[in-house]
């Protein structure tokens, strides 16, 4: 029997996150025809075994935290796409969390390493399937109460599945992040990380200064960490430097994409995000992973890079406790 070592996630000097889900599934052979309205969340229903394999690969690559394939999922989205009942849709949201747990438990049984399971909570704009998460203008015609009303049922389903915490990610506009955190007041035992999508090296996709956005969300006691997600790697360093000026007492999170999207105004990045890792760490980032076009092999390489920067015995070898 393997004796499990225990270490609180917040005590680690550097926490390694996973990479992308949708593009990794494409690499595995999946095809999301006509930008499927559920994107990677459809695989929870159609090929759950493939998600277990992907989540397992991320844990084996060294990720301390692996996210569920629920970024673009919603109750209404599952109902419409699959012609199922509301309860069946709720069950699929919960299943997204359970698939990560299956992978986490399998790796723990093999190695003694207990990773953390995070429920991915994407923005309302992601479910519109029109790339709204890269500008957030839908929030201009919605109140904070409107956004909270939409997010609450999904949050309830995800939280009922008992993830270790929520990863509220790729949020384009401060109003929506605040709405989600308002919802979490109903779940005082649940913590959340919040990451913003940014259109450049200083502003959110909607146009707020990243320092203002971060300052707004860290007022909530539910926030476990804060940072940026699905941004071009070139934008990360200046964004982290700006966030670092706030002198936060919670981790700064970076989870960039592979730098291949037109909305970033770029078409090519360095060979791997590990090329950037040391400067991000020096600037103050402490939770590091990737998003679209970042794969388990990239996370494994990122782990090696981090281990050369910090004492590996203090960072990436101790299993995690539940938060």
């Amino acid at each position: 029997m393997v004796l499990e070592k225990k270490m609180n996630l917040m005590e680690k000097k550097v926490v390694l996150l996973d990479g992308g889900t949708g593009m990794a599934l494409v690499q595995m052979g999946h095809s999301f025809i006509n930008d499927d309205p559920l994107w990677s969340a459809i695989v929870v229903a159609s090929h759950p075994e493939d998600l277990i394999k992907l989540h397992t690969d991320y844990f084996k690559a060294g990720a301390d935290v692996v996210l569920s394939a629920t970024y673009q999922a919603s109750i209404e989205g599952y109902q419409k796409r699959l012609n199922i009942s509301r309860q069946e849709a709720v069950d699929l949201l919960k299943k997204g969390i359970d698939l990560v747990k299956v992978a986490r438990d399998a790796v723990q049984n093999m190695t003694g390493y207990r990773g953390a399971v995070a429920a991915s909570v994407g923005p309302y704009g992601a479910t519109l399937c029109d790339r709204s998460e890269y500008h957030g203008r839908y929030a201009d015609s919605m109140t904070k109460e409107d956004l909270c009303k939409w997010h609450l049922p999904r949050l309830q389903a995800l939280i009922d599945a008992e993830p270790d915490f929520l990863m509220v990610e790729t949020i384009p506009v401060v109003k929506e992040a605040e709405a989600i955190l308002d919802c979490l007041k109903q779940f005082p035992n649940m913590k959340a990380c919040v990451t913003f999508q940014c259109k450049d090296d200083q502003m959110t996709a909607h146009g707020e200064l990243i320092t203002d956005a971060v300052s707004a969300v860290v007022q909530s006691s539910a926030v476990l960490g804060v940072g940026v997600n699905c941004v071009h790697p070139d934008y990360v360093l200046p964004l982290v430097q700006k966030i670092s000026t706030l002198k936060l007492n919670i981790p700064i999170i970076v989870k960039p994409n592979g730098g291949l999207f037109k909305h970033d105004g770029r078409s090519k990045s360095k060979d791997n995000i590990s090329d950037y890792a040391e400067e991000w760490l020096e600037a103050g980032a402490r939770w590091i992973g990737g998003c679209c076009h970042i794969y388990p092999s990239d996370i494994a390489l990122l782990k090696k890079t981090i281990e050369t920067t910090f004492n590996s015995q203090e960072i990436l070898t101790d299993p995690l406790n539940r938060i």
Side-chain angles (χ1 to χ4, degrees), residues 99-110:
L99 297 178
V100 189
K101 290 182 179 180
V102 170
R104 186 270 315 279
D105 292 347
V107 174
Q108 182 183 3
N109 288 338
M110 287 186 288

Side-chain angles (χ1 to χ4, degrees), residues 198-212:
C198 295
K199 63 181 180 180
D200 55 28
D201 62 4
Q202 60 181 334
M203 291 185 175
T204 68
H206 189 255
E208 300 100 344
L209 289 172
I210 187 61
T211 47
D212 290 343

Side-chain angles (χ1 to χ4, degrees), residues 127-153:
T127 67
L128 299 178
C129 304
D130 60 0
R131 305 183 71 79
S132 293
E133 66 266 46
Y134 298 111
H135 58 68
R137 290 191 290 273
Y138 56 86
D140 294 341
S141 59
M142 301 176 75
T143 66
K144 193 183 296 186
E145 290 72 24
D146 292 334
L147 288 162
C148 187
K149 183 178 180 180
W150 185 85
H151 276 285
L152 185 58

Side-chain angles (χ1 to χ4, degrees), residues 78-138:
Y78 271 132
Q79 285 184 277
K80 182 177 180 180
R81 173 70 172 79
L82 299 173
N83 192 27
I84 59 177
S85 70
R86 183 176 182 84
Q87 184 57 53
E88 288 172 318
V90 168
D91 289 344
L92 280 174
L93 280 164
K94 294 179 180 179
K95 184 177 179 178
I97 308 301
D98 292 339
L99 297 178
V100 189
K101 290 182 179 180
V102 170
R104 186 270 315 279
D105 292 347
V107 174
Q108 182 183 3
N109 288 338
M110 287 186 288
T111 67
Y113 182 96
R114 184 175 178 81
V117 175
S120 174
V121 179
Y124 171 70
T127 67
L128 299 178
C129 304
D130 60 0
R131 305 183 71 79
S132 293
E133 66 266 46
Y134 298 111
H135 58 68
R137 290 191 290 273
Y138 56 86

Side-chain angles (χ1 to χ4, degrees), residues 21-33:
T21 301
M23 298 310 300
L25 288 168
V26 169
Q27 192 180 61
M28 291 170 66
H30 289 271
S31 177
F32 303 113
I33 304 299

Side-chain angles (χ1 to χ4, degrees), residues 8-9 26 48 62 67 74-75 86 94 96 110 114 120 125 140 156 171 173 177-178 182 186 194 208 226 306 319 321:
N8 189 288
L9 195 65
V26 169
L67 278 60
S74 69
I75 296 172
R86 183 176 182 84
K94 294 179 180 179
M110 287 186 288
R114 184 175 178 81
S120 174
D140 294 341
Q156 178 74 68
I171 304 299
V173 54
E178 291 176 328
D182 283 349
Q186 299 185 39
V194 179
E208 300 100 344
V226 68
I306 293 172
N321 225 347

